[in-house]
Amino acid sequence: MPSPPLTPLATATLAVGKPESVLQVECGEGDGVLFLAREFPLARVRGVDTSAEVIRRATARIGLDPEGRIAFKLGGPRDLPFPDDHFDLVAVLDGRLAVAETARVLRPGGYLVIAFSDRLHASSKLGSRLGRWRFKRAGFVPVEAGEAGDGSFSVARLGSAGNAPFSE
């Protein structure tokens, strides 16, 4: 029996502390965003996707949210509609990301989680030589990587001291 698709994301969140602001890129209908909001009950959680229809459906799933902790916006990996240094955690589940744009919206010391829910797509961009170079050039250092359920995850931190850089 296959594991739940959020298992790699859930496993990766164990390495990121307690962020106050979270973004999921290519959020789809919001499963990951809603999970992250439950996992980090004090955080403001945002999701972006390139489809207006998907954002409409995701927004309809929020329900009662008087504090405005959860919100969805139209946007893509290469043009995130947020200011610089805005998030403590950026997560991507089964999606794409633009490394430099991700680094722009992530606060120094913030975390990046890349998760894949199935083995077919589980070869993370952090695993390739070109991927390591792009992440290193943007200031990311590895924190943890592994398999979880039917997929895999990688966690990196932006400009954190004390961690070894990506090896070439």
Side-chain angles (χ1 to χ4, degrees):
M1 181 167 92
S3 66
L6 294 176
T7 300
L9 179 62
T11 304
T13 62
L14 298 174
V16 301
K18 296 182 181 188
E20 294 177 8
S21 57
V22 178
L23 171 65
Q24 185 187 0
V25 179
E26 290 196 332
C27 66
E29 293 186 6
D31 290 343
V33 170
L34 295 173
F35 165 78
L36 291 165
R38 284 189 304 274
E39 187 67 19
F40 303 113
L42 300 178
R44 292 196 178 277
V45 183
R46 304 295 183 249
V48 296
D49 201 280
T50 57
S51 167
E53 177 59 24
V54 166
I55 291 297
R56 187 191 64 70
R57 289 195 304 261
T59 301
R61 296 180 66 194
I62 294 173
L64 184 61
D65 183 23
E67 298 169 0
R69 279 194 338 105
I70 304 166
F72 296 93
K73 279 189 169 186
L74 195 59
R78 294 186 185 278
D79 187 25
L80 297 171
F82 300 99
D84 296 355
D85 304 331
H86 193 73
F87 294 99
D88 300 312
L89 169 63
V90 174
V92 180
L93 175 63
D94 294 332
R96 301 165 292 134
L97 78 146
V99 178
E101 182 68 353
T102 301
R104 181 188 68 78
V105 300
L106 196 58
R107 290 183 182 135
Y111 290 92
L112 168 63
V113 167
I114 300 172
F116 294 94
S117 62
D118 61 53
R119 299 239 188 264
L120 179 64
H121 298 99
S123 59
S124 167
K125 292 181 181 184
L126 288 172
S128 73
R129 183 181 172 121
L130 178 59
R132 285 192 307 269
W133 177 80
R134 284 184 179 153
F135 283 92
K136 181 179 178 182
R137 191 174 88 185
F140 287 100
V141 293
V143 172
E144 187 175 343
E147 294 184 358
D150 293 332
S152 69
F153 68 92
S154 296
V155 180
R157 198 163 188 189
L158 182 62
S160 63
N163 291 325
F166 286 101
S167 58
E168 290 296 331

